[in-house]
Amino acid sequence: MIGLISATAAGAAARDRVAAAWPDRTRVYDGPVGEAVRAAFAECTQLVCFLATGATVRLLAPLLGDKRADPGVVCVDEAGRFAVALTGGHAGGANALAREIGELLDAQPVVTTATDAVGMAGLDTLGLPVEGDVAGVSRALLDGESVALAAEVVWPLPPLPVAAPGTAAAYTVRVTDRAVIPGEGEVVLRPPTLVVGVGASRGVPAEEVRGLVEQALGEAGLSARSVAALATVDAKADEPGVVAAAEQLGVPLLTYPAQQLAAVPVPHPSRAPLDAVGTPSVAEAAALAGGGDLLVPKRKSRRADGRPSMATCAVVRRPPRGRLAVIGLGPGARDLLTPRAKAELRRASVLVGLDQYVDRIRDLLRPGTRVLESGLGAEEERARTAVAEARRGHAVALIGSGDAGVYAMASPALAEAGDDIDVVGVPGVTAALAAGAILGAPLGHDHVSISLSDLHTPWEVIERRVRAAAEADLVVTFYNPRSRGRDWQLPKALALLAEHRSPTTPVGVVRNASRPGESSRITTLAELDPATVDMMTVVTVGNTATRTIAGRMVTPRGYRWQDTRPEEAEWTA
């Protein structure tokens, strides 16, 4: 919950805007400001104080304890011009909240946390348990000192500006699931790589399950903070002791059907679980069900009273699961690049893309991002490269112009990708949409996009699609309309449309939509000169209802126009 505190009418007005926008996230604290701040500090995870920073600091000072537990506090000035992340920038989420408040109130977020200020991923913001000299290693990264990355296990982390392998370094970022103690000048990140399979008898105490898990991890030199889940058979999904042990360890409980577990090869099958629940293995099979390496074979608990064991466990290190974000950069203008695309670009440690597209967004990349760029004609190679990097466990961004799923990189990449990596699609503004907005509203009714490039699609197929669009009276947007080596396809496509449409049908021509050198014009099907069109151009041909109004190309949502005066419309069909 976010506590909102104000002292003046101006502050209250901004406060109420936030409260109205986030009714389920916020609580307004009225009354004397000092009492309101103290109450909100004790009851909320974050605070927004619509007060002067000096006053806010004085009120907060006696309340501050541990930055890892204190609420994040954002201070907004009386005029609503700035949203200052005051305390708890990382741990309390104040930096992210300041950006949210800034967007909501049209205020400038002010974030002074060093790593955020220079665009570097904070070591304590990666979503992983972190131990060691976070401040010292972060300062070394900021100062450009040599910091080594010791990745004992691979995990899709954001980019870190670390030294090349083999370089002597006084500081280290260690990524491991082993139970190591951070050394001097070292930070340890613990990714959730371990799955613990658990078998249990009915009525097993939670303490016995948890004790067995912790003992198995400890003797194997593994960290409990890297446990991603407990896993067992469906028949034990409601076993109180197993459920409670997972809750005490702070991890989810995964369950599998006995038939699925029975098909998992294990080194130590047993008759007892086969008779009891229908699978020769529970602990080992459940741990291995998602793949990985068996680090701790099945072992039984030992009870102090000498009675038979009621729990078994096995530990598996699951394979690294990389992440591939397929990102549409939009038509070119920076303000048409979506916030989600920007966030994914900054999250990726590996960027794969066409060199000219990489140049467009290079300044948005975080320090340490590895860039793999290539030229025109290497689309399939880029797709394979991106998927291969994700399979190695990295966080990868594959970029394309417009929307990556429209004549771009999503299709070849997803044809290569299996279910062994996570794939995230990030939509972008397409060339057709950008051109349509420039022309007016040509896509107001049913429409279709057709690429006239026959490099990968036989012309016979393209022609059949153009004929179908013409007969169906669809507005048509032509991508890749004409190049030096392909100069006859556009005239042919226009001729096919002309068999079903008037010569005066509006045609919009947009070149370099949203990019430097943008130009546009509206002509007709009869007057369009294909020689004026190139690969940087999008051609939009209207349907039988499309008209030009006040110099804009408009296709009505229906075929009846209401209350249109002759002087307001110029019929072109």
Side-chain angles (χ1 to χ4, degrees), residues 367-450:
T369 304
R370 183 157 52 95
V371 177
L372 305 176
E373 53 189 312
S374 53
L376 287 169
E379 287 78 12
E380 292 183 357
E381 178 187 346
R382 284 195 290 275
R384 286 192 293 267
T385 297
V387 172
E389 289 290 337
R391 284 193 171 122
R392 295 187 183 102
H394 299 302
V396 182
L398 175 63
I399 59 174
S401 185
D403 183 280
V406 180
Y407 303 122
M409 294 306 301
S411 178
L414 269 61
E416 293 282 339
D419 61 1
D420 55 339
I421 62 173
D422 295 322
V423 177
V424 178
V426 182
V429 178
T430 68
L433 295 179
I438 293 167
L439 295 170
L443 308 182
H445 207 288
D446 295 339
H447 55 276
V448 63
S449 295
I450 299 177

Side-chain angles (χ1 to χ4, degrees), residues 440-447 475 543 546 553-558:
L443 308 182
H445 207 288
D446 295 339
H447 55 276
V475 175
N543 66 11
T546 304
M553 189 174 172
V554 181
T555 301
R557 293 186 63 185

Side-chain angles (χ1 to χ4, degrees), residues 40-90:
F41 196 91
E43 298 169 359
C44 297
T45 56
Q46 294 177 320
L47 279 70
V48 180
C49 298
F50 298 86
L51 307 166
T53 53
T56 306
V57 168
R58 284 191 293 272
L59 291 170
L60 288 175
L63 307 176
L64 296 175
D66 186 339
K67 70 176 184 178
R68 294 168 294 186
D70 289 341
V73 180
V74 172
C75 186
V76 179
D77 65 294
E78 290 287 294
R81 296 173 300 172
F82 304 102
V84 183
L86 202 59
T87 65
H90 286 168

Side-chain angles (χ1 to χ4, degrees), residues 290-561:
D293 299 321
L294 185 64
L295 303 182
V296 180
K298 181 181 72 173
R299 58 183 297 166
K300 297 180 179 181
S301 59
R302 295 192 182 95
R303 308 189 73 181
D305 57 10
R307 297 174 62 186
S309 167
M310 298 185 72
T312 59
C313 82
V315 183
V316 163
R317 177 181 289 137
R318 60 182 180 175
R321 189 171 181 87
R323 187 175 190 277
L324 174 62
V326 188
I327 303 172
L329 299 180
R334 177 58 62 85
D335 59 357
L336 292 181
L337 178 66
T338 66
R340 185 180 299 179
K342 292 179 182 178
E344 288 292 347
L345 288 171
R346 297 176 67 76
R347 177 172 180 169
S349 60
V350 180
L351 178 78
V352 181
L354 179 68
D355 47 14
Q356 57 185 286
Y357 297 159
V358 171
D359 288 341
R360 280 169 44 184
I361 49 83
R362 199 182 297 271
D363 63 299
L364 296 177
L365 304 178
R366 276 181 161 155
T369 304
R370 183 157 52 95
V371 177
L372 305 176
E373 53 189 312
S374 53
L376 287 169
E379 287 78 12
E380 292 183 357
E381 178 187 346
R382 284 195 290 275
R384 286 192 293 267
T385 297
V387 172
E389 289 290 337
R391 284 193 171 122
R392 295 187 183 102
H394 299 302
V396 182
L398 175 63
I399 59 174
S401 185
D403 183 280
V406 180
Y407 303 122
M409 294 306 301
S411 178
L414 269 61
E416 293 282 339
D419 61 1
D420 55 339
I421 62 173
D422 295 322
V423 177
V424 178
V426 182
V429 178
T430 68
L433 295 179
I438 293 167
L439 295 170
L443 308 182
H445 207 288
D446 295 339
H447 55 276
V448 63
S449 295
I450 299 177
S451 171
L452 294 183
S453 172
D454 56 1
L455 295 177
H456 301 289
T457 305
W459 174 253
E460 292 76 14
V461 175
I462 297 173
E463 181 174 337
R464 187 166 68 247
R465 292 169 179 171
V466 176
R467 286 188 183 277
E471 294 172 1
D473 198 26
L474 298 173
V475 175
V476 181
T477 298
F478 287 123
Y479 280 71
N480 306 313
R482 183 177 180 272
S483 68
R484 292 179 180 178
R486 295 185 301 100
D487 59 359
W488 59 268
Q489 288 89 344
L490 179 59
K492 177 62 176 177
L494 295 174
L496 293 173
L497 292 177
E499 294 176 8
H500 299 269
R501 299 182 193 183
S502 164
T504 57
T505 299
V507 177
V509 181
V510 179
R511 188 175 191 278
N512 285 325
S514 88
R515 296 192 296 271
E518 174 187 294
S519 64
S520 65
R521 68 184 189 279
I522 298 176
T523 181
T524 66
L525 193 55
E527 295 175 349
L528 174 62
D529 179 5
T532 63
V533 173
D534 61 13
M535 287 290 285
M536 308 302 292
T537 305
V538 173
V539 177
T540 302
V541 182
N543 66 11
T544 56
T546 304
R547 64 182 72 178
T548 300
I549 301 176
R552 303 181 186 93
M553 189 174 172
V554 181
T555 301
R557 293 186 63 185
Y559 287 96
R560 290 182 300 175
W561 287 69

